């Protein structure tokens, strides 16, 4: 190859990095990847489709030399110090105007720092969230770019080419200033945590009524053909069919109940408190994953208190409640995440366009679902909507499921089945629709013990009372 022959470079040729490059190559771009592991370089080249221009190299300087100017380089390396290490290695090799992209799951505060650091050196830096897993990277992910808008225009043709398409529209758009891309991806992952928790609770509730894995497969398959259509419901249906190669049993039954995490859900919960914005379904999902790790304690507690769920409904009676409860709670999970993005857009000056966010999430990503079409319409009607629950169409959908949602939570409590995600969704809904909450009492308590003052409903200003003096 001659010098300056390649359109795009990738640092880190794990499955995600390799698949993204191959996706670009299939769309007519010449791509080059760098990895210290020679086997990964070889795997990149051997996986390329016939007629595409794909190269793997073991020297970073060689890759940079072979890129067209302005150079466009993406990193797919672990978040944290490895990203800073790669940037340090890149800087002596780059020229002003080159574009550096972090495509991993970095915390947005690190992205803010890196944007400023490289801007001072006249290097464009972008944080881009990529969702869809290994398959999505190869065939069409959801892409969430933020940061330098000029840099986005340089990479936009490539990103639009490789992104998932919904009705011909690429699932990629410029999503805001500075660290917005990684912020949107962080919240995406928080919503993902929430919906996975809600589905797992539905699984527990239906199992308590005697549902077999074969029945659960059919239930989720049917749900995926209706108003619960989503990627996570689809794969849940498929999970119940998978057999374990070692034992021949259903694989789901031999998988440990200790769930891991990579931290992005926790970041969503933590950062929501900094704004502050209430995201209790996401908070609950994070907490329940943590609780799943208390395996020995849970087993000891089960010996003391018992852990049997006592179903008081038949499976046929329970199914409509679980269906409607899952739809209700899923809407609440999206609502909380989107409300967080709305507030962050203002408070952190990221200028995140919510209509584009829900449009980008419609295809390719883990939380894609038919509900996002409803939300897209809501934001088309009111682009500055602070909470999708205030949209009349969304409100009508929520209210149509409210009765069964309440019945489901009642069933869960009476049967002894943990359904914390659904319970927190309902509690949020009831608090959000309450014109006067009981927090006037909390104001009084705070002033009583700490002289923190309070506000009144009839007179403006701040007040303090010497409590107990009468």
């Amino acid at each position: 190859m001659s010098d300056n022959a390649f359109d795009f470079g990738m640092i880190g040729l794990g499955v995600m990095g390799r698949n993204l490059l191959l996706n670009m190559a299939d769309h007519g771009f010449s791509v080059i990847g760098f990895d210290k592991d020679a086997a990964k370089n070889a795997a990149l080249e051997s996986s390329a489709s016939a007629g595409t221009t794909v190269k793997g190299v073991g020297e970073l300087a060689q890759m940079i030399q072979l890129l067209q100017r302005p150079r466009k380089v993406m990193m797919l390396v672990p978040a944290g110090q490895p990203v800073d290490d790669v940037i340090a290695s890149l800087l002596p090799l780059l020229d002003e105007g080159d574009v550096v992209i972090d495509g991993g799951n970095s915390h947005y505060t690190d992205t803010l720092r890196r944007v400023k650091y490289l801007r001072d050196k006249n290097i464009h830096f972008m944080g881009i969230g990529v969702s869809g897993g290994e398959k999505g990277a190869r065939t069409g992910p959801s892409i969430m770019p933020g940061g330098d808008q000029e840099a986005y225009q340089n990479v936009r043709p490539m990103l639009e080419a490789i992104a998932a398409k919904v009705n011909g529209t690429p699932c990629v758009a410029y999503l805001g200033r500075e660290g917005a891309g990684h912020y949107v991806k962080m919240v995406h992952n928080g919503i993902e945590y929430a919906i996975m928790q809600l589905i797992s609770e539905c699984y527990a509730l239906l199992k308590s009524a005697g549902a077999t894995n074969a029945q659960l497969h059919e239930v989720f398959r049917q749900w995926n053909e209706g108003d619960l259509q989503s990627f996570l419901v689809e794969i849940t249906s498929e999970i119940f069919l998978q057999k374990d190669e070692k034992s021949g049993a259903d694989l789901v039954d031999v998988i440990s109940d200790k769930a891991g995490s990579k931290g992005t859900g926790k970041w969503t919960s933590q950062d929501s408190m900094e704004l502050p914005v209430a995201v209790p379904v996401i908070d609950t999902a994070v907490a329940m994953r943590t609780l799943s790790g208390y395996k020995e304690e849970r087993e000891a507690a089960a010996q003391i208190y018992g852990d049997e769920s006592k179903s008081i409904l038949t499976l046929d009676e329970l199914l409509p409640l679980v269906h409607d409860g899952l739809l209700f709670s899923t809407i609440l999970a999206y609502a909380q995440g989107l409300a967080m993005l709305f507030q962050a857009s203002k408070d952190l000056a990221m200028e995140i366009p919510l209509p584009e966010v829900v449009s980008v999430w419609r295809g390719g990503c883990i939380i894609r679902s038919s509900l996002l079409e409803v939300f897209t319409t809501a934001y088309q009607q009111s682009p500055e909507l602070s909470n999708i629950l205030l949209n009349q169409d969304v409100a009508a959908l929520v209210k149509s499921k409210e009765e069964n949602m309440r019945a489901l939570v009642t069933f869960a409590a009476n049967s002894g089945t943990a359904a914390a995600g659904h319970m927190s969704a309902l509690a949020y809904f009831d608090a959000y629709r309450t014109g006067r909450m009981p927090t006037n009492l909390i104001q009084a308590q705070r002033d009583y013990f700490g002289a923190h003052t309070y506000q009144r409903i009839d007179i403006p200003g701040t007040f303090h009372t010497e409590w107990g003096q009468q």
Side-chain angles (χ1 to χ4, degrees), residues 5-166:
F6 292 90
D7 299 314
F8 195 88
M10 178 71 69
I11 299 171
L13 297 179
V15 177
M16 283 292 291
R18 178 173 76 242
N19 283 354
L20 281 173
L21 277 190
L22 294 173
N23 189 348
M24 289 183 182
D26 285 347
H27 286 87
F29 298 98
S30 56
V31 298
I32 184 170
F34 158 74
D35 202 290
K36 293 180 180 179
D37 186 339
K40 291 181 179 178
N41 293 320
L44 170 68
E45 294 185 359
S46 65
S47 301
S49 302
T52 59
T53 304
V54 177
K55 185 176 180 63
V57 297
E59 295 292 336
L60 184 59
Q62 181 184 6
M63 185 187 79
I64 299 303
Q65 182 182 2
L66 289 172
L67 286 170
Q68 295 181 15
R69 290 176 171 80
R71 302 178 181 97
K72 295 170 278 290
V73 183
M74 177 182 279
M75 296 174 283
L76 269 172
V77 298
Q81 189 59 44
V83 178
D84 290 317
D85 291 343
V86 171
I87 290 172
S89 299
L90 274 173
L91 277 177
L93 306 174
L94 298 177
D95 295 326
E96 292 186 3
D98 288 346
V99 179
V100 178
I101 299 167
D102 177 8
N105 277 333
S106 291
H107 193 261
Y108 81 97
T109 54
D110 288 333
T111 305
L112 292 173
R113 170 175 56 81
R114 291 162 185 151
V115 166
K116 184 179 184 304
Y117 175 67
L118 291 174
R119 182 188 292 135
D120 292 342
K121 300 179 183 301
N122 294 314
I123 303 292
H124 301 293
F125 185 80
M126 300 183 67
I128 293 184
V130 180
S131 178
E134 299 171 7
K135 183 177 179 180
R138 185 69 180 86
T139 61
S142 174
I143 307 175
M144 296 158 251
D148 191 319
Q149 194 162 17
E150 181 182 344
Y152 175 65
Q153 297 307 321
N154 280 332
V155 298
R156 179 177 178 176
M158 285 176 246
L159 298 182
E160 289 185 345
I162 68 171
K165 308 294 188 299
V166 174

Side-chain angles (χ1 to χ4, degrees), residues 130-134 142 144 185 188-189 192 195-196 230-233 235 334 361 363-369:
V130 180
S131 178
E134 299 171 7
S142 174
M144 296 158 251
K185 179 58 169 27
H188 165 285
N189 286 16
E192 177 185 306
I195 297 173
M196 292 170 71
S230 72
F231 174 73
L232 286 170
V233 169
I235 67 169
Y334 279 117
W361 287 350
C365 73
I366 304 302
I367 64 170
R368 62 185 185 265
S369 76

Side-chain angles (χ1 to χ4, degrees), residues 8 17 26 89 105 122 134 166 176 178 254 284 292-293 311 317 334 345 385 392 408 412 420 433 436 446 459:
F8 195 88
D26 285 347
S89 299
N105 277 333
N122 294 314
E134 299 171 7
V166 174
E178 307 295 354
V254 297
T284 297
S292 78
S311 181
E317 291 171 329
Y334 279 117
S345 179
L385 195 62
Q392 291 300 319
L408 178 68
R433 68 181 184 87
R436 180 170 171 81
R446 293 180 72 244
I459 307 170

Side-chain angles (χ1 to χ4, degrees), residues 206-228:
L206 294 173
K207 289 284 279 188
S208 76
T212 66
N213 290 335
Q215 288 173 314
L216 289 168
H217 158 71
E218 186 60 23
V219 165
F220 280 90
R221 186 194 66 78
Q222 291 180 12
W223 286 355
N224 192 53
E225 295 176 352
D227 51 11
L228 278 171

